[in-house]
Every structure is written in C-alpha cells, then in structure tokens.
Amino acid sequence: MPPTLASLVAHPALKLAVRAGEDRLETPVRWAHASELADPVPYLDGGELLLVTALKLDAENGEEMRAYVRRLAGAGVVGLGFAVGVNYEDIPEALVSAAAEEGMPLLEVPRRTPFIAISKAVSAAIAAEQYQAVTAGFAAQRELTRAALGPEGPEALLARLAAHIGGWAALYDMSGAVVAAAPEWAARRAARLTADVERLRERPAPASAVTGGTGEDDGGADRIELQSLGSGRRAQGVLAVGTGAPLGTAERYAVNSAVALLTLTAERSRTLAAAEQRLGSALLRMLLAGEPDHARTVAGTLYGALLDAPFRVLVAERAGPQTPDAAPAAGDGGPAPDPLGRLADTLEAAAARGGEHLLVVPDGDRLVVLAADGGAAVAACERLAEEYESAGRRTPRRRGGRSTAPVAAFAVGLSAPTGPIAAVSAYRQAEQALSVARRRGRVLVEHEEVAAGSVLPLLADDAVRAFADGILRPLREHDATGRGDLVSSLRAWLSRHGQWDAAAADLGVHRHTLRYRMRRVEEILGRSLDDPDARMELWLALKATSAE
C-alpha cells in the first residue's frame, strides 16, 4: 500500500499529532514537500503533504488562512504539516479553524522532528510499495508463464490473470470472437465488446483502448482495458481485462506479462501458420495438377483428415475498391480493412472453434480454400456473405438515374462437394460460380445454384450484349425504315419453334406474310434459319436484349 497520513501519524519516530481533518487520514500521500511560500501552488503537483513553519504567513489572520487552505486544497494537497516551536509555539487557532472548515488534515510536527525525517519516511514507504509491486509482478510473470506453457494454455493463463487483477479476463481471436474467458461468467460480458474489439483490431499492433461497461450480470461496473496482440501490421488477437478500478502497479505488471506471453504465442502460431501455408500451397498445386495420390502423401496428418471426407473448393476474389457502405463498419476512421484478410480470419477462426481442418492459400488478389463440406468454415463464409449483402440492401444508392447496390468487398464461388480425385473439376466449378457472382453483383454463389438455375442471368454480360446488338443491328435498321417488323416476327417464330400458323396468329398476320419476313431475315443476315446454331444464337440475342 502507498503511505497515507494515517500511517505517518502512526509512525513511532515522527511523533505527529492530528489537529484537524481526522476523517481524511486514509488519503494516500504521493510526496512530502516543504515550502514557506505564501502561494506554493504553482510548484505543486497534487497528492503532497505540505510542510510549513509559517515563516512568511500571517497564521493568526483568519481570512488569510482560509484563502491559503482553499488554494492548497484546490491544488490537490492532501495534508498540511505545521512545525511548532519554530515561528509559533503552537498552531494558531486561525489555521486550525481554516483547516477544519475545508476538511484539510492538519498535522502538528514537534520541534524535535525534522522535515527531512518525514520526507524520508514517505520516500521509504513509496519505495517499499514499488518494490512490493515489482516483486508481485515478477511472481505473477512466473505464474503466468507456467500457465501458458501448461496443457491448458490460454485458458489457464486467463484464470491466473483474473485472480491477480481481482477482475476478469477474455481473449479474442483474429475474427473478434471470444475464444476463452475467466471466470466463466465473464464470457457473456466479453461478448458485448465486439464492436470495441473490431475497432482495435484494425489498428496496427500494439494498440490499446480503455472503455467502461456495466456488469449487467451482477450489477457491477467495469473499467475495461483492451490490448491488441501481435507485432505485425494486423493484430493476431485481443486481450480484455475488466476491473472495478484502474490497474495498480502490480496488476499492470501482470497484464503486461500476459500480453507479452499471448503475443509470443500468437507470433509462434503465425510462424507455424506460414509453414503450413507453404505446405498447403504445394498440396493445392498437386491436386490441381491431377495428382491426388501425391497430394495425400504430402497432406500427412495436417491435412489428411480434410482429404478423407467430402470437401468444398472456395475461390474468393476482391471485387473492387471497398466503399464505406459496402460492408459492415469495422471501425471509425482509418483505412478500410482487407476484405480477403477478414474472410480468411473468419474461416480460420470458425474452423478452429469447430475442430476442423482447413486449407487456405492466398493467390494474389484471390484466396483459394478447401473446407469440410457442411462444416463450420463454410457456414461462416455464408454468414459473412449475407452480412455484406444485407449491408448492401440497406444502403442502396442512385447513380445515373438507376438504383444500384454498393460494390461488394469480395466475390466468392463455392464448388459442389468433392474429393481429391475430382479436385480439378471442383476448382473449375468454383471459378464458374465466382464468375457468375461477379456478373450478378453477388457476394457468394454456389455451383449448385448455377447448375440448377436458368442460363438467362448469365446473359447480363457486356460481351454478350455487344454480340446481341451486333447480330440484330441489320434487322433493326431494316425495321427503322418502316418496311417491316422483322425483329418481332423473328421472336414470335422462334418462340413457336418454327410453327407458321401459331406464330402468324400471335402476330395477327397471314402465314404467307410471316414466311416472306423470315426469308428477308435470312437474306439480310446471310444465315439459314434451318441451322440450329443460327436459331440458338438469334434466340439468345433476343433474350439478351429483351429488357431494353
């Protein structure tokens, strides 16, 4: 404990007596300072026991003493020590009354007690407190280190840390999810800090933040401190500690030790992850080269379980510059987060929580992932995609008179369930689904959705529309002269599968008129309508331009 006025009064060698402010003797003393200035306030820092002999004070003037004591109290002075037998044989009543009115502790210092003795006592007590804090900090560091190296890992470390600080502690992973908390009841409280954790994670590590939270579980109030973990550009996790008061010196040592140990663990994990990523890249190349047997050999125990069960191939790609409303907010100010980085973090965290194997291979502006079919990682990808698409639906914008959704941060194509032998085909499926996602402005498209859906949405492509405009332009130019209605006639004839009477009835013309128009179509285009390829291309051209 720091020295207090009460501990100084109880010091047997100082012989101090209390003359006023008896109810405030438990106030901590930061230093003892002697000053004979009539106004020492400019030279004070707060928390001092001020020692005086009243050499330059009219200590018997009640008004002057009240003003003097008020100035000291306003400057944060915690007590006044008056030496008797120097300038005054006793403490003047005017000063005693002024101190009592202000609630300022007033200590009588006997002549045989030098001020230096009081200063030494305060200094010794402060040094003892600091030594005790350092000793306790080193003890906490040893205990936390043993916990971190034990089989329970972060869980045991958090339990020891919570005990040392007299509060609670929680650890968040790269996605911002709570992975461990101590005591157990703190997990629910820590989950309410997701937004604060997200903001801190987007700042370069190390970074910290302090916030206040209400302990709704038990009616208590927390002072919550967040510390990012890692030494790179992106935080590897976040540690949160909650206490009822600001951290003391010993508690600060414990928290700093926990941050260092968890950062070391995170950096070691990152090094291992880099090695795993290189192995994963080699494994993916073998699968896409059609060498599943070699891939299984390389996979070993690290990825073997992933290849032994149906998996999905996921191909993600940045969809363009991220706009402020293109995704859920990740923090106020600062650059927008890397969307593929967030996707990778989300998938890895979900797989870790689900006990799944996951292969993540960055490839430039792309991300290739092999994930267990029906597992937590695939589900997390779907949830994140829905999160982005919901944000887009909530914030439509107007551009050029047309309503458009915000540009998604990334696009994802997801293959059908597959195995190592069909990995090449699954990769193509994921790429095809990714292409459809880009065309449709979607975040996530699954191959099953493409295979089971209509081909018509695929026609909303600039190249297809350019082809359609080119093939139909001669017919439209003909119709523009008023010499016929070849485009609508062609559409009716193709929609009726070449049935003359039915198509003519739809148009309200004689079938001979329709026959004449179709001959003109063949002449203008230089193509025979008996050719099935010609019919197909003309029908797709008409469908591609039907919305105009």
Side-chain angles (χ1 to χ4, degrees), residues 78-103:
V78 299
L80 187 62
F82 192 97
V84 297
V86 181
N87 294 311
Y88 291 89
E89 289 303 319
D90 194 8
I91 302 178
E93 187 59 33
L95 179 56
V96 174
S97 298
E101 290 176 13
E102 193 63 38

Side-chain angles (χ1 to χ4, degrees), residues 305-353:
L306 179 61
L307 302 185
D308 289 339
F311 60 83
R312 298 245 193 159
V313 177
L314 180 155
V315 179
E317 187 176 74
R318 291 186 183 89
Q322 189 175 358
T323 57
D325 56 352
D332 300 327
D338 174 23
L340 292 189
R342 184 186 181 196
L343 175 61
D345 290 349
T346 300
L347 297 182
E348 290 173 347
R353 291 194 296 270

Side-chain angles (χ1 to χ4, degrees), residues 14-47:
L14 299 180
K15 309 296 183 181
L16 303 178
V18 181
R19 297 293 299 275
E22 295 86 349
D23 56 341
R24 295 190 181 182
L25 295 182
E26 297 301 328
T27 305
V29 178
R30 293 180 53 193
W31 200 246
H33 178 67
S35 176
E36 299 296 348
L37 295 175
D39 184 12
V41 168
Y43 307 97
L44 300 176
D45 192 39

Side-chain angles (χ1 to χ4, degrees), residues 322-397:
Q322 189 175 358
T323 57
D325 56 352
D332 300 327
D338 174 23
L340 292 189
R342 184 186 181 196
L343 175 61
D345 290 349
T346 300
L347 297 182
E348 290 173 347
R353 291 194 296 270
E356 301 172 4
H357 291 274
L358 184 75
L359 191 155
V360 179
V361 180
D363 184 17
D365 285 340
R366 279 190 167 192
L367 194 70
V368 182
V369 179
L370 267 62
D373 177 43
V378 173
C381 180
E382 293 171 345
R383 287 194 299 271
L384 185 61
E386 175 58 28
E387 192 178 344
Y388 274 94
E389 291 192 347
S390 297
R393 289 192 293 269
R394 289 195 302 269
T395 56
R397 295 179 293 175

Side-chain angles (χ1 to χ4, degrees), residues 426-486:
Y427 183 79
R428 292 198 194 99
Q429 292 177 358
E431 284 198 313
Q432 291 166 358
L434 173 63
S435 178
V436 174
R438 288 197 302 262
R439 288 193 183 98
R440 297 183 185 179
R442 296 272 302 280
V443 178
L444 173 66
V445 170
E446 298 188 34
H447 178 261
E448 290 93 332
E449 181 181 347
V450 176
S454 170
V455 73
L456 297 181
L458 303 180
L459 303 181
D461 181 271
D462 291 341
V464 175
R465 295 179 67 85
F467 167 79
D469 290 339
I471 198 172
L472 296 176
R473 184 180 297 111
L475 301 182
R476 288 175 172 165
E477 291 175 351
H478 174 276
D479 292 347
T481 64
R483 292 180 293 168
D485 197 356
L486 300 186

Side-chain angles (χ1 to χ4, degrees), residues 505-524:
D506 290 342
L507 293 168
V509 300
H510 196 275
R511 66 178 181 277
H512 294 312
T513 302
L514 180 59
R515 287 180 182 275
Y516 170 76
R517 291 179 179 177
M518 293 301 98
R519 284 197 300 273
R520 288 293 294 145
V521 168
E522 290 178 323
E523 293 170 0
I524 293 173

